[in-house]
Amino acid sequence: SAPLAFGMLGLPKKPLSQQDVKVLLSKTKDTGTCLDRQRTSRFDSVSVKSDSESRSSDSEKSSGRGRSRSRSRTRNTRKSGFELQGTLLERAAELARFERLGEGPDLQGDQLRAAHIVFCTLNCSGRPSVQRELLCGVDTILVDEAAQAVEAETLIPLSLRPRQLVLIGDPMQLSATVCHSSAAKRALLCRSMMERMMEDGQPYTMLKEQYRMHPEISRFPSARFYRGLLIDATKESCEVSRRAMPAFAVVDVMSKEEGGWNGDVQNPREAHALVRFATRAATLCLGTIVVITFYSAQRSLIQRLLELERVEGRVAAGAVSVHTVDSFQGSESDVVLLSFVRANAARRIGFLAEFRRLNVALTRAKTMLVVFANVSRLSVEGDPPDDVAALFEDAFKRGTVMSEDQATILLLRKRLRRMKRVKPERPATPIRGRRKVRRKVLAAK
């Protein structure tokens, strides 16, 4: 069987992360395997829970160091084990050398045999050493971020012949990237096993409670991408009437996009407006501030402008970080400033047309989300409107579309309110001194 757990990636899922996993693993008789869908090679390793400890170094010295050692000698060495000396890098290099010569201890095999839970990537589950130790010995496989894995990758751990497969992910956010090929997309090579099974009618459980976003931020993504099923489990930090800026706002910037030297797109006018806003917001103690954008050229431009602000002393180093939407998936921040970049007469919106990427961008903020865009260029009359036009239409209905000057005034009001709340302490005057001052005043009268 293949149960599906469908929920927004990155949001805390209180019941599933602990209680439900415990229930699943309590039913296992052998080894349970948890697989994380990661692409970078630095995560392509096996991590296990075991009680094995390091062994003595005398056996290692007697095991020999040449290729001429026999297989039986190697087996004896692995049984007796050894203890590596030196720094972490020196021990890692020494262990790699022994493994290359075939004389190192079978540490991975020993740990896999003693493990109750194994954490690895999908690709790592297909290693011969993992297959040799875990074949037919796995009861349940949990695949995290299953919606980001192509179906061929999800098939790899099935070669371990588990009794149960559990897929956890969000098909409404970024999917697996196979290649920039229209033929591959038409062949549905970018589709995950989880997405295909949901389309084929496989029953699934949706995790509806979201613990990250302010209700005003989650309002549009819930209605547009999740059929209005999300339940806000967050508590508002303060009343809307007391906020200087609304939790969700759109700043209309009269700008025009420009093509970069490598074909990437940037919008200098929008970048300058966003950096000015971020510089002022960084002085208001609003929490962590992150700028995300859909294009790497715009990210580089904003980073350069923020560096100039730092050199001139208007913003502290590290007060504002900049990311692309793809690199920031799975992360969150108190305040998110989102740059749409695209602004052209033909309304070519590029990455903004991909609803999964737009959904990721709109669901990273916790307390405040401010979108910088050329609203007049990106709005379009149509029935039904696309996702971008629907976002601006929703913002107009809520009255949260504002100009650059209006956004600046709201931030200044926030700063004035903060300054009024913080009253400077007056130095305490001694009682005798007060009496002397009073006597001088009376004498003068």
Side-chain angles (χ1 to χ4, degrees):
S1 60
L4 306 180
F6 169 35
M8 296 185 64
L9 291 178
L11 303 189
K13 304 168 183 69
K14 181 174 59 177
L16 187 68
S17 60
Q18 295 181 1
Q19 188 61 31
D20 290 358
V21 173
K22 288 181 179 179
V23 172
L24 284 172
L25 296 180
S26 64
K27 300 178 181 179
T28 63
K29 298 180 180 179
D30 297 302
T31 303
T33 304
C34 299
L35 300 108
D36 188 11
R37 161 66 191 129
Q38 298 284 355
R39 295 182 192 171
T40 38
S41 59
R42 60 192 178 96
F43 291 110
D44 195 20
S45 60
V46 178
S47 176
V48 297
K49 174 67 177 176
S50 67
D51 300 326
S52 60
E53 298 179 356
S54 58
R55 300 161 184 171
S56 63
S57 60
D58 297 334
S59 300
E60 184 270 329
K61 295 179 181 179
S62 62
S63 61
R65 300 175 184 268
R67 290 179 179 270
S68 60
R69 299 292 178 179
S70 63
R71 291 180 177 269
S72 60
R73 181 77 175 188
T74 302
R75 293 195 200 100
N76 294 334
T77 303
R78 289 180 177 177
K79 289 180 181 180
S80 59
F82 61 89
E83 181 180 353
L84 298 172
Q85 303 292 334
T87 64
L88 178 61
L89 292 178
E90 291 173 349
R91 284 179 288 170
E94 186 73 3
L95 180 60
R97 191 177 69 84
F98 275 106
E99 289 182 345
R100 185 171 64 253
L101 298 177
E103 297 181 353
D106 189 13
L107 298 178
Q108 180 171 294
D110 293 342
Q111 293 180 4
L112 286 174
R113 285 188 291 272
H116 298 287
I117 302 176
V118 179
F119 294 87
C120 65
T121 62
L122 293 173
N123 292 327
C124 184
S125 66
R127 288 182 176 179
S129 58
V130 177
Q131 294 278 328
R132 180 173 60 252
E133 302 297 341
L134 299 183
L135 185 62
C136 300
V138 177
D139 187 85
T140 302
I141 288 182
L142 306 177
V143 182
D144 189 22
E145 296 189 12
Q148 277 196 282
V150 296
E151 187 155 357
E153 286 181 314
T154 313
L155 291 173
I156 296 175
L158 292 181
S159 60
L160 297 174
R161 302 176 188 176
R163 298 180 181 88
Q164 187 180 37
L165 173 67
V166 181
L167 304 179
I168 306 173
D170 185 2
M172 303 306 294
Q173 299 203 12
L174 287 177
S175 59
T177 302
V178 180
C179 56
H180 298 285
S181 168
S182 56
K185 293 180 180 179
R186 287 194 301 268
L188 301 179
L189 295 182
C190 298
R191 185 175 61 173
S192 64
M193 177 186 292
M194 182 176 187
E195 184 178 358
R196 179 180 63 81
M197 295 180 70
M198 292 176 65
E199 292 175 355
D200 292 342
Q202 172 73 23
Y204 62 88
T205 300
M206 180 176 180
L207 308 179
K208 299 179 181 180
E209 293 185 349
Q210 68 90 10
Y211 297 84
R212 172 189 294 161
M213 298 173 286
H214 187 285
E216 288 299 311
I217 300 176
S218 65
R219 177 174 163 182
F220 177 79
S222 176
R224 188 73 180 182
F225 305 117
Y226 298 99
R227 306 191 306 278
L229 298 177
L230 290 185
I231 300 174
D232 297 313
T234 54
K235 296 181 180 180
E236 300 184 30
S237 58
C238 58
E239 296 179 1
V240 178
S241 59
R242 295 179 57 188
R243 299 178 64 95
M245 286 284 294
F248 169 70
V250 176
V251 178
D252 188 8
V253 183
M254 303 304 295
S255 60
K256 183 180 179 181
E257 69 180 50
E258 298 178 1
W261 64 271
N262 58 348
D264 208 344
V265 183
Q266 61 182 10
N267 191 322
R269 177 73 179 81
E270 186 175 293
H272 281 84
L274 186 148
V275 169
R276 285 195 298 270
F277 185 93
T279 302
R280 295 187 178 98
T283 63
L284 299 179
C285 300
L286 300 176
T288 56
I289 302 177
V290 169
V291 176
I292 58 177
T293 180
F294 292 86
Y295 292 89
S296 57
Q298 184 77 347
R299 178 196 59 188
S300 301
L301 175 59
I302 294 174
Q303 286 175 335
R304 291 196 299 270
L305 294 175
L306 285 172
E307 179 62 21
L308 292 177
E309 295 290 324
R310 186 197 66 79
V311 171
E312 295 177 4
R314 286 193 285 265
V315 64
V320 182
S321 58
V322 189
H323 302 270
T324 60
V325 176
D326 293 53
S327 66
F328 204 64
Q329 171 164 291
S331 302
E332 62 183 21
S333 177
D334 294 320
V335 178
V336 169
L337 310 180
L338 176 59
S339 174
F340 269 24
V341 183
R342 302 310 299 259
N344 54 77
R347 201 179 180 273
R348 295 186 298 271
I349 60 177
F351 288 145
L352 276 68
E354 299 179 11
F355 75 93
R356 292 183 177 90
R357 185 170 278 105
L358 181 63
N359 184 27
V360 171
L362 297 175
T363 55
R364 301 302 98 196
K366 297 170 64 177
T367 60
M368 185 186 299
L369 171 64
V370 184
V371 177
F372 290 79
N374 189 328
V375 178
S376 59
R377 289 286 178 90
L378 293 177
S379 298
V380 63
E381 296 181 0
D383 191 21
D386 59 16
D387 297 323
V388 176
L391 174 67
F392 296 140
E393 183 179 332
D394 178 73
F396 275 117
K397 290 180 180 178
R398 290 196 251 177
T400 57
V401 179
M402 61 189 71
S403 64
E404 297 176 57
D405 295 335
Q406 289 174 326
T408 302
I409 291 173
L410 289 177
L411 282 182
L412 291 176
R413 287 179 181 175
K414 170 71 175 177
R415 186 171 185 177
L416 290 174
R417 290 178 185 176
R418 183 168 174 266
M419 292 175 64
K420 289 179 180 180
R421 288 197 300 267
V422 181
K423 296 181 179 180
E425 296 182 359
R426 295 182 178 179
T429 305
I431 297 177
R432 293 181 180 179
R434 292 177 184 175
R435 289 177 180 175
K436 290 181 180 180
V437 173
R438 183 178 181 83
R439 289 172 185 172
K440 290 180 181 179
V441 173
L442 291 175
K445 289 181 179 180

